[in-house]
């Protein structure tokens, strides 16, 4: 497969844009190749600037539940554009999208729109701190909540549950209120609560998608809810990725655990930049201008972005069965790949939630970030590169989740499994 134009484009981009990309994971660093430059999308396919076509299992890292260039969403955007790109004043589109979001989530009575998941989470945490009048927050190792300072934290060595900045440029002072616990490990949560009486909120991806796909155990979430209630701490479900992907009505609907605040993004914008956070009125009324907690945005609730989000969510509302169909397809995909691997003596761990799928080259079940880190990175890199040559575009890091869209057909799933059989065979014979 010739990817010469992409290689040249990447060279040039690197001279002008750090690493040649506007978001680091796009750079293919962990799989050792160079990124593919995209010319356009067509349903389930990506077409690169060399004219190669790939079945796209990234779908813009989640947002495109209906694939590229969905007719309804495209039309809604074009219609909105004709009325003007931005006003910085209220539009009906915001209320309409808010109605839809509230109708999907039992825990949300009011919602505010922002322009990215990072912004949604950052604002939700400020709101939780303002509401509880406390400073500390608790997050889980391996969960990603955007790139705001207080959340770029990694585990310290030893017993300390307070984290250290995971990036230069983040003062240690800014992360000293961030406690870290281990995903699916309730004991580690209890230790944090023993260390601090000042925890405003616990934030978690109830279906973690940023260490590969690692859903939280139901019992763990129930315990987490109980501990939060006992301590007057708010529970935030970060569903920027899993919202409208993992299930139709949020993780709360499949776990029975109700969060205090939910953050959303990705699918909610239908491919345009939208984030949101919502909660019951009592909490949301703390936000300015009603309350004292400040939060704002020039392009928040942008009419074009709202139109895309509204088109996507109303499509989902009208066709709720979509989620089941996608889940069946995603399951067939990962089971097929796992069987293909097994025939070559390779063990894969796989999981599916709605249209999200995950796989690890790992002998053992993956329950947390430490488990995920024990996966075979070399094998993943070989798999990724060979599948790309076969015309299948998977996320270029083993710590990412895969996505299918309504444009991903059964035939494409079968073709992917068949390609994986060839790829595993080649990998095995090449070793
Ligand atoms: C993608 C993501 C974010 C950040 O959203 P951006 O739009 O990239 O800022 C936050 N939380 C989770 C769970 C995500 O998957």
């Amino acid at each position: 497969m010739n990817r010469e134009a992409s290689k040249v484009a990447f060279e040039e981009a690197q001279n002008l844009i750090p690493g040649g990309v506007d978001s680091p994971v796009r750079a293919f660093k962990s799989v050792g190749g160079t990124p593919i430059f995209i010319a356009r999308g067509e349903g389930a396919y990506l077409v690169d600037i060399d004219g190669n076509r790939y079945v796209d299992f990234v779908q813009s890292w989640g947002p495109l539940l209906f694939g590229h260039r969905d007719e309804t969403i495209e039309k809604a955007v074009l219609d909105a554009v004709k009325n003007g790109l931005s006003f910085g004043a209220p539009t009906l589109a915001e209320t309409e999208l808010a109605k839809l979001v509230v109708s999907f989530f039992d825990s949300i009575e009011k919602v505010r729109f922002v322009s990215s998941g990072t912004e949604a989470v950052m604002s939700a945490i400020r709101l939780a701190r303002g509401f509880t009048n406390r400073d500390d927050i608790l997050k889980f190792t391996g969960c990603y909540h955007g790139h705001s300072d207080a959340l770029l934290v990694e585990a310290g060595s030893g017993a300390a549950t307070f984290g250290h900045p995971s990036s230069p440029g983040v003062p240690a002072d800014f992360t000293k209120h961030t406690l870290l616990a281990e995903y699916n490990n309730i004991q580690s949560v209890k230790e944090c609560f023993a260390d601090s009486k000042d925890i405003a909120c616990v934030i978690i991806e109830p279906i973690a998608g940023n260490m590969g796909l690692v859903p939280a155990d139901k019992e763990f979430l129930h315990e987490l809810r109980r501990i939060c209630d006992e301590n007057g701490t708010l529970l935030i479900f970060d569903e920027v990725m899993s919202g409208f992907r993992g299930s139709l009505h949020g993780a709360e609907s499949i776990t029975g655990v109700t969060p205090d605040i939910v953050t959303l993004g990705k699918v909610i914008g239908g491919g345009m930049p939208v984030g949101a956070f919502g909660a019951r009125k009592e909490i949301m009324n703390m936000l300015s201008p009603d309350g004292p907690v400040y939060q704002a945005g020039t392009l928040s609730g942008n009419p074009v972005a709202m139109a895309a989000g509204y088109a996507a969510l109303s499509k989902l509302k009208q066709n709720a069965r979509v989620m089941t169909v996608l889940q069946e397809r995603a399951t067939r995909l990962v089971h097929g790949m796992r069987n293909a691997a097994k025939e070559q003596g390779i063990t894969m761990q796989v999981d599916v939630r709605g249209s999200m799928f995950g796989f690890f080259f790992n002998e053992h079940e993956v329950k947390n970030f430490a488990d995920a880190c024990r996966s075979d990175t070399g094998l993943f890199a070989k798999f990724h590169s060979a599948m790309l040559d076969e015309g299948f575009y998977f996320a270029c890091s083993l710590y990412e989740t895969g996505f299918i869209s309504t444009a991903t057909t059964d035939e494409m799933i079968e073709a992917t499994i068949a390609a994986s059989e060839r790829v595993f065979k080649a990998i095995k014979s090449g070793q």
Side-chain angles (χ1 to χ4, degrees):
M1 187 180 274
N2 177 16
R3 288 199 284 268
E4 205 42 46
S6 276
K7 287 207 181 89
V8 174
F10 188 50
E11 285 299 315
E12 187 180 18
Q14 280 176 295
N15 288 328
L16 297 161
I17 299 169
V21 291
D22 281 315
S23 196
V25 73
R26 297 177 195 169
F28 275 49
K29 282 243 161 142
S30 69
V31 287
T34 55
I36 289 162
F37 277 60
I38 307 303
R40 62 182 185 279
E42 293 168 357
Y45 293 103
L46 283 177
V47 179
D48 71 14
I49 59 173
D50 286 283
N52 303 306
R53 211 163 75 132
Y54 311 85
V55 176
D56 181 12
F57 290 112
V58 179
Q59 296 292 335
S60 187
W61 305 94
L64 307 180
L65 187 63
F66 298 98
H68 300 276
R69 296 202 58 197
D70 173 77
E71 268 181 38
T72 318
I73 299 172
E74 188 170 291
K75 181 170 184 311
V77 167
L78 293 176
D79 287 349
V81 163
K82 287 177 192 147
N83 289 324
L85 295 180
S86 179
F87 312 114
T91 59
L92 293 174
E94 294 161 74
T95 315
E96 290 305 314
L97 185 55
K99 259 189 222 164
L100 259 183
V101 172
V102 167
S103 78
F104 275 111
F105 280 79
D106 283 347
S107 63
I108 300 181
E109 290 176 342
K110 283 189 176 183
V111 59
R112 178 159 284 175
F113 295 111
V114 293
S115 299
S116 69
T118 295
E119 232 186 312
V121 173
M122 186 185 84
S123 308
I125 284 182
R126 185 179 303 148
L127 180 59
R129 283 172 161 159
F131 184 80
T132 56
N133 211 6
R134 296 180 182 177
D135 288 339
D136 291 346
I137 61 175
L138 190 162
K139 83 175 281 287
F140 294 90
T141 314
C143 282
Y144 178 67
H145 302 294
H147 64 95
S148 68
D149 285 341
L151 291 161
L152 283 185
V153 174
E154 64 189 4
S157 55
T161 57
F162 286 88
H164 304 296
S166 59
S167 164
V170 178
D173 270 1
F174 289 16
T175 58
K176 73 178 184 199
H177 292 294
T178 308
L179 292 103
L180 274 175
E182 188 175 61
Y183 201 73
N184 279 326
N185 175 352
I186 205 68
Q187 190 51 38
S188 70
V189 174
K190 290 180 180 162
E191 281 163 23
C192 288
F193 276 89
D195 276 5
S196 168
K197 295 286 155 238
D198 195 38
I199 302 180
C201 62
V202 171
I203 182 162
I204 186 166
E205 288 180 77
I207 302 171
N210 288 289
M211 47 175 148
L213 178 63
V214 186
D217 295 332
K218 242 192 213 179
E219 309 71 52
F220 171 73
L221 288 177
H222 277 277
E223 267 298 280
L224 201 55
R225 178 71 268 180
R226 194 187 58 73
I227 293 172
C228 284
D229 288 343
E230 246 175 45
N231 290 276
T233 297
L234 297 187
L235 178 60
I236 304 179
F237 276 4
D238 182 355
E239 297 224 61
V240 169
M241 182 189 290
S242 58
F244 310 107
R245 274 280 177 195
S247 65
L248 200 54
H249 300 285
E252 59 197 75
S253 69
I254 51 174
T255 62
V257 175
T258 308
D260 297 294
I261 305 179
V262 178
T263 55
L264 295 163
K266 299 191 171 116
V267 171
I268 205 183
M272 294 291 288
V274 181
F277 57 105
R280 57 184 186 270
K281 285 179 185 163
E282 178 199 14
I283 297 175
M284 292 307 279
N285 290 345
M286 287 293 287
L287 271 184
S288 86
D290 283 349
V293 177
Y294 193 69
Q295 190 279 329
T298 303
L299 292 176
S300 290
N302 174 271
V304 183
M306 294 291 103
Y310 183 79
L313 293 200
S314 43
K315 241 179 117 106
L316 196 53
K317 189 98 193 166
Q318 284 152 22
N319 190 4
R321 233 189 77 73
V322 156
M323 213 49 105
T324 319
V325 173
L326 291 178
Q327 169 142 329
E328 282 164 8
R329 248 173 234 161
T331 305
R332 186 141 12 103
L333 173 68
V334 290
H335 286 178
M337 293 203 303
R338 184 178 58 188
N339 290 342
K342 199 171 164 199
E343 271 173 36
Q344 303 303 322
I346 297 168
T347 310
M348 265 172 116
Q349 306 294 328
V350 303
D351 213 338
V352 164
R353 286 295 181 282
S355 58
M356 303 165 70
F357 68 86
F359 57 90
F360 293 100
F361 295 110
N362 196 316
E363 298 284 329
H364 306 283
E365 202 183 1
V366 174
K367 284 288 181 191
N368 57 45
F369 189 52
D371 293 345
C373 289
R374 285 189 282 267
S375 304
D376 189 335
T377 49
L379 185 52
F380 177 83
K382 278 183 199 164
F383 172 80
H384 180 269
S385 151
M387 287 303 281
L388 202 57
D389 287 341
E390 291 265 1
F392 299 91
Y393 188 87
F394 283 90
C396 53
S397 157
L398 87 99
Y399 301 114
E400 301 292 342
T401 293
F403 300 100
I404 61 167
S405 73
T406 56
T408 319
T409 62
D410 288 331
E411 290 71 29
M412 292 174 196
I413 299 289
E414 294 309 323
T416 313
I417 295 168
S420 78
E421 284 167 6
R422 290 192 290 277
V423 163
F424 288 129
K425 211 174 264 174
I427 288 175
K428 218 51 200 178
S429 62
Q431 271 173 352

